[in-house]
Amino acid sequence: MVRRPVAWIVALVLFAEALGVLAVNWFLGVVVDRQDMSLAGLDPDVMSVSSKAGGVLFGLYFGLCGLVALLVALRDRAPAGFGKVLLISAAVVHALLGAFAWGLIGWTAFLLMVVVLALIVLLLMTYDGRPEESGPVDAGAPVSPPAAPTAP
């Protein structure tokens, strides 16, 4: 089946993305701090700290999404409740990032965001409506009406 490998790939991609977002925002915070320049009158220390805090928050968000995908891969069960909402929100975030990337960075970044979006949607769709979750189904048993009651 394709379910578990997709879940493993999504988990790895989201963990890598969490580390990448954290590293880029931390680096930008360090650059702003060392430049010691103001942008539209903003304090450089505030910009540096907010860049680092944003990197940590988004890194934790993508890391938590990766953890949900990892649990899906390990358990081979569909995400439920908060985990499903978290993966759906990650898909929406990647769709928005893809739209912004097309205009600001180029088609390669757009393509990367669309691939991650497609992987998350594939993870959500492959676990949708599995018969094991709704109860046991015996595919080999013939369907017959119940036996008529007999008279004593």
Side-chain angles (χ1 to χ4, degrees), residues 60-94:
L60 288 174
Y61 169 71
F62 287 132
L64 190 59
C65 293
L67 181 65
V68 170
L70 181 66
L71 289 174
V72 167
L74 290 174
R75 296 177 181 166
D76 198 23
R77 286 195 326 224
F82 183 67
K84 190 171 191 174
V85 170
L86 204 60
L87 286 176
I88 291 170
S89 70
V92 171
V93 165
H94 281 88

Side-chain angles (χ1 to χ4, degrees), residues 131-139:
E132 294 87 12
E133 295 174 354
S134 61
V137 176
D138 188 10

Side-chain angles (χ1 to χ4, degrees), residues 4 21 32 40 50 56 64 70 80 83 103-105 110 112 116 122 129 152:
R4 288 186 103 169
V21 166
V32 166
S50 62
V56 168
L64 190 59
L70 181 66
L104 296 175
I105 301 171
F110 169 76
L112 181 67
V116 176
L122 185 62

Side-chain angles (χ1 to χ4, degrees), residues 10-96:
V10 169
L12 290 174
V13 166
L14 287 173
F15 285 138
E17 191 171 10
L19 288 175
V21 166
L22 177 67
V24 166
N25 279 319
W26 198 270
F27 174 73
L28 289 175
V30 169
V31 168
V32 166
D33 194 30
R34 290 187 182 167
Q35 289 275 324
D36 203 27
M37 294 170 47
S38 175
L39 178 67
L42 293 174
D43 185 24
D45 293 330
V46 172
M47 290 191 305
S48 173
V49 168
S50 62
S51 176
K52 291 176 183 177
V56 168
L57 286 176
F58 269 103
L60 288 174
Y61 169 71
F62 287 132
L64 190 59
C65 293
L67 181 65
V68 170
L70 181 66
L71 289 174
V72 167
L74 290 174
R75 296 177 181 166
D76 198 23
R77 286 195 326 224
F82 183 67
K84 190 171 191 174
V85 170
L86 204 60
L87 286 176
I88 291 170
S89 70
V92 171
V93 165
H94 281 88
L96 291 172

